[in-house]
Amino acid sequence: MNSFRKAVEARDPDAMAATLAENVVFRSPVAFRPYPGKAITAAILRGVLRVFEDFRYVRELDGGEGRDHALVFEARIGDVRVEGCDFLHLDEDGLIDEFTVMVRPLSAAQALAEAMAAQFDRIQREAVN
């Protein structure tokens, strides 16, 4: 888990992508449909790097067997403060195969939905390139 956290904190999209399994499933806090696959998940994470300001992890929780992790974060989108959590599951090779994000409060989820919607054409192009 340290490699993903370090990659995020370094704002290194290539290192972040290297921690993802090919069959990763990303679940967004603002879209019901999950996004399967490494390419789209990595593109979404690049979009998030462009949207979130002052991002920082404030706590890390580990599951009993070391394959489930929760990374609690704080960030900002413009003037809106965001609190959230990345819930990660690792496969047998130590790569992230499930990635679920939750955010609060509602104003933060709305700001995130709007900001990511503005990024989504670019995200889709990046996922196929």
Side-chain angles (χ1 to χ4, degrees), residues 21-92:
E22 290 297 327
N23 65 337
V24 64
V25 175
F26 180 83
R27 290 179 181 81
S28 165
V30 296
F32 179 74
R33 178 179 66 89
Y35 296 95
K38 183 175 181 172
I40 189 67
T41 300
I44 290 169
L45 292 175
R46 285 191 298 274
V48 169
L49 286 177
R50 293 187 293 266
V51 166
F52 278 154
E53 302 169 65
D54 301 328
F55 182 93
R56 67 187 183 104
Y57 284 118
V58 295
R59 191 172 6 186
E60 184 172 336
L61 309 167
D62 293 320
E65 296 180 17
R67 292 181 61 181
D68 291 295
H69 303 271
L71 299 171
V72 180
F73 64 84
E74 296 175 349
R76 193 172 45 79
I77 301 171
D79 293 331
V80 179
R81 289 190 63 235
V82 180
E83 296 176 347
C85 191
D86 293 336
F87 296 97
L88 309 171
H89 181 269
L90 305 181
D91 66 12
E92 57 279 349

Side-chain angles (χ1 to χ4, degrees), residues 28-31 35 43-44 47-48 50-52 77 108-125:
S28 165
V30 296
Y35 296 95
I44 290 169
V48 169
R50 293 187 293 266
V51 166
F52 278 154
I77 301 171
Q110 291 167 329
L112 181 59
E114 184 178 310
M116 290 303 288
Q119 294 277 323
F120 216 74
D121 286 342
R122 181 175 177 182
I123 288 168
Q124 289 178 313
R125 284 192 308 273

